[in-house]
């Protein structure tokens, strides 16, 4: 984009005043850009904190009430909040497993409680059964060792 053209005034005093105002405007753009970056960083930190608190709140409600609680954080909120793992349990064989939310093939706006009907036990699936998974909690790291290599 071409810079804006400012017609040069005829008198020397007006030229000096225009030059001074253009210098102030250029300095102000630098200051405003720095303030914008600082505000954006603060906003990102606040959003990260809010996502983390939402995940912790959901975990506490899951522990207290024992079921997929609505509303839950979305997948991207859980990952951004530092809780990228979902601990599940097979409703049939009671095998616990950890699911990496970042690797799921679901839109990142999908809510975690909506995954309850979509996740299946891989152990029971090998045996030809389609047992659903029970959601337990979100985690910062996998809690169970991966049974499959």
């Amino acid at each position: 984009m071409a810079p804006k053209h400012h017609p040069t005034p005829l008198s020397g005093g007006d030229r000096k005043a225009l030059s001074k105002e253009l210098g102030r405007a250029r300095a102000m753009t630098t200051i405003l850009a720095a303030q914008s970056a600082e505000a954006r960083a603060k906003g990102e930190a606040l959003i990260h904190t809010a996502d983390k608190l939402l995940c912790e709140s959901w975990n506490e409600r899951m522990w207290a009430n024992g079921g997929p609680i609505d509303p839950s954080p979305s997948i991207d909120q859980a990952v951004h909040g530092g809780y990228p793992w979902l601990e599940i349990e097979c409703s049939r064989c009671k095998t616990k497993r950890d699911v990496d939310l970042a690797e799921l093939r679901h839109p990142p706006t999908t809510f975690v409680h909506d995954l309850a009907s979509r996740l299946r036990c891989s152990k029971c699936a090998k045996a030809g059964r389609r047992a659903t998974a029970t959601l337990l909690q979100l985690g910062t790291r996998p809690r169970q060792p991966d049974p499959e290599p």
Side-chain angles (χ1 to χ4, degrees):
M1 183 172 167
K4 186 175 179 182
H5 174 70
H6 298 285
T8 306
L10 296 176
S11 71
D14 289 341
R15 281 194 303 263
K16 286 180 184 176
L18 176 64
S19 175
K20 189 175 182 181
E21 287 301 316
L22 288 174
R24 283 185 187 157
R26 289 184 184 111
M28 199 61 177
T29 59
T30 305
I31 291 169
L32 292 174
Q35 288 176 350
S36 171
E38 182 181 327
R40 184 172 302 279
K42 285 180 184 177
E44 287 293 325
L46 287 173
I47 290 171
H48 175 73
T49 302
D51 289 343
K52 180 180 177 184
L53 291 173
L54 181 63
C55 293
E56 289 174 359
S57 168
W58 190 75
N59 277 346
E60 290 298 323
R61 285 184 288 144
M62 285 290 291
W63 181 80
N65 298 339
I69 305 298
D70 179 20
S72 65
S74 63
I75 292 174
D76 59 346
Q77 286 174 326
V79 171
H80 188 257
Y83 286 84
W85 294 92
L86 176 64
E87 186 178 355
I88 62 172
E89 180 180 63
C90 176
S91 58
R92 185 177 179 280
C93 68
K94 303 299 182 200
T95 302
K96 291 186 179 180
R97 192 181 93 185
D98 293 308
V99 177
D100 187 2
L101 294 175
E103 292 182 5
L104 286 179
R105 294 183 183 171
H106 294 287
T109 56
T110 303
F111 291 103
V112 173
H113 74 271
D114 289 337
L115 297 174
S117 62
R118 299 177 187 180
L119 296 175
R120 304 280 182 224
C121 175
S122 56
K123 184 178 174 184
C124 290
K126 289 178 183 174
R129 299 177 184 90
R130 294 191 37 92
T132 59
T134 303
L135 305 181
L136 298 178
Q137 66 181 357
L138 291 168
T140 56
R141 56 187 168 77
R143 300 189 194 294
Q144 304 292 327
D146 194 11
E148 299 171 7

